[in-house]
């Protein structure tokens, strides 16, 4: 079947696209200056030795160091741990919010979003006050007799993970809640009327239909936490060293811009690869859903 297109309408569409492109040029220019040029400078810096000569020695030194790979493993452990905790906590919470009355859901969502209204530095030091050995949580545990001595809740992996989950949970919840809210209630009622239990309804109806929101929230959490710095620096107490901490120490301690640039490129490449994986998974799910509807 041949579709005839009016030449005048096609010309108008082209003019409209050129017009909107011209409006975006200033923004593209600012993005280029603020993002692309620093990345190009870091790439150039990674090939410069301390003497100012071009070399691949920085890559050999960084990539052959066991500390680099240990920092990369720590980075993935923190990101995966935060993602798992957000899925475990955020998915049921989004389900409860989606099933609540609009007024109640709005009030609860305001409380969930409350941490985003506070600086991350203030929240991190707030967790430090709560989790340290003489903090409020340990004081309550020892006073109630649940523990005989303070628990090591801070300056370790556990404390860092708690702070990261607290920050990322609202960002994970938003796309999941939006996806679950768009699910037709008639589908849930129909499955329940056919004899499906609550667990079966969640597994066969709600989770498949909200999978796109879960993947989107997971992408936000994982990519964001790969570059976390303040929370590991404060709550880790020097014992939790992801790539971001290693970059900072390479600069502040050794003033080695070449090695720090290599670490920055490694972090950028890891972030890009993870982003591509999530986008591919999102598109695959969309294609499967389209095929199912067809």
């Amino acid at each position: 079947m041949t579709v005839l297109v009016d030449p005048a309408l096609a010309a108008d569409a082209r003019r409209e696209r050129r017009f909107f492109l011209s409006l975006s040029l200033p923004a593209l220019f600012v993005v280029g200056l603020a993002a692309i040029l620093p990345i190009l400078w870091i790439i150039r810096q990674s090939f410069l030795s301390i003497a100012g000569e071009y070399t691949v020695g920085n890559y050999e030194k960084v990539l052959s160091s066991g500390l680099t790979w240990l920092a990369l493993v720590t980075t993935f452990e923190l990101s995966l741990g935060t993602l798992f905790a957000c899925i475990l906590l955020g998915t049921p919470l989004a389900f409860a919010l989606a099933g609540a009355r609009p007024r109640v859901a709005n009030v609860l969502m305001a409380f969930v979003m409350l941490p985003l209204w506070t600086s991350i530095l203030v929240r991190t030091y707030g967790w430090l006050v709560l989790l340290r050995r003489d903090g409020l949580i340990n004081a309550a545990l020892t006073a109630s007799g649940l523990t005989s001595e303070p628990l090591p809740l801070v300056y370790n992996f556990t404390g860092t993970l708690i702070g990261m989950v607290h920050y990322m949970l609202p960002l994970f919840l938003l796309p999941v809640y939006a996806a679950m809210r768009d699910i037709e209630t008639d589908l849930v009622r129909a499955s329940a009327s056919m004899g499906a239990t609550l667990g079966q309804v969640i597994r066969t109806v709600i989770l498949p239909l909200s999978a796109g929101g879960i993947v989107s929230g997971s992408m936000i959490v994982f990519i964001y936490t790969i570059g976390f710095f303040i929370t590991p620096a404060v709550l880790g107490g020097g014992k939790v060293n992801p790539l971001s901490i290693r970059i900072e120490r390479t600069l502040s301690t050794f003033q080695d811009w070449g090695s720090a640039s290599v670490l920055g490129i490694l972090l950028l490449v890891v972030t890009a690869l993870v982003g591509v994986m999530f986008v591919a998974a999102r598109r695959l799910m969309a294609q499967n859903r389209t095929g199912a509807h067809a």
Side-chain angles (χ1 to χ4, degrees):
M1 178 178 179
T2 303
V3 179
L4 298 178
V5 179
D6 189 350
L9 294 177
D12 291 340
R14 288 194 296 269
R15 284 195 296 269
E16 184 178 357
R17 287 195 295 267
R18 287 195 294 267
F19 172 72
F20 284 111
L21 179 61
S22 64
L23 291 179
S24 64
L25 287 178
L28 294 175
F29 179 73
V30 172
V31 170
L33 290 179
I36 299 177
L37 287 181
I39 291 175
L40 294 177
W41 182 87
I42 290 175
I43 294 175
R44 174 182 177 273
Q45 196 72 25
S46 67
F47 289 100
L48 288 177
S49 64
I50 298 178
E53 300 175 350
Y54 286 97
T55 177
V56 294
N58 294 324
Y59 285 88
E60 294 176 353
K61 179 173 62 176
V62 170
L63 298 180
S64 63
S65 174
L67 294 177
T68 300
W69 301 110
L70 181 61
L72 184 61
V73 170
T74 302
T75 301
F76 274 99
E77 287 177 345
L78 286 173
S79 298
L80 289 174
T82 304
L83 175 58
F84 178 77
C86 286
I87 293 175
L88 193 63
L89 299 174
T91 304
L93 180 57
F95 177 67
L97 290 174
R101 290 178 296 176
R103 181 176 298 179
V104 176
N106 291 335
V107 173
L108 294 177
M109 183 60 70
F111 281 107
V112 172
M113 295 295 111
L114 189 62
L116 297 181
W117 303 345
T118 310
S119 168
I120 183 174
L121 188 60
V122 174
R123 278 177 287 166
T124 303
Y125 276 101
W127 276 112
L128 188 62
V129 172
L130 291 172
L131 298 175
R132 62 186 184 181
R133 293 184 64 85
D134 56 346
L136 298 178
I137 293 179
N138 272 317
L141 291 175
T142 53
S144 62
L146 295 176
T147 58
S148 58
E149 59 182 14
L151 299 177
L153 300 177
V154 76
Y155 301 136
N156 51 28
F157 187 89
T158 302
T160 305
L161 190 63
I162 291 174
M164 293 174 66
V165 171
H166 177 244
Y167 184 83
M168 295 307 305
L169 185 58
L171 299 180
F172 174 83
L173 184 66
L174 287 175
V176 180
Y177 170 65
M180 289 187 175
R181 188 182 56 184
D182 292 338
I183 297 176
E184 294 290 339
T185 56
D186 292 340
L187 294 175
V188 179
R189 293 172 180 172
S191 59
S193 65
M194 296 296 292
T197 63
L198 178 60
Q200 291 173 333
V201 171
I202 293 175
R203 186 176 66 255
T204 60
V205 178
I206 295 176
L207 288 182
L209 293 178
S210 60
I214 294 175
V215 172
S216 299
S218 300
M219 180 173 65
I220 294 172
V221 171
F222 198 86
I223 292 179
Y224 205 106
T225 52
I226 285 177
F228 252 47
F229 174 76
I230 294 178
T231 303
V234 176
L235 298 180
K239 299 178 181 179
V240 180
N241 299 310
L243 277 175
S244 57
I245 300 294
R246 181 152 174 77
I247 293 172
E248 187 274 334
R249 289 182 179 174
T250 301
L251 285 176
S252 62
T253 305
F254 303 105
Q255 296 295 313
D256 189 350
W257 281 93
S259 298
S261 298
V262 174
L263 290 170
I265 292 173
L266 178 61
L267 185 61
L268 181 64
V269 169
V270 170
T271 304
L273 291 176
V274 171
V276 169
M277 291 173 57
F278 274 108
V279 171
R282 188 73 173 85
R283 289 184 177 179
L284 182 61
M285 293 175 57
Q287 292 175 357
N288 292 337
R289 183 178 301 177
T290 303
H293 287 305

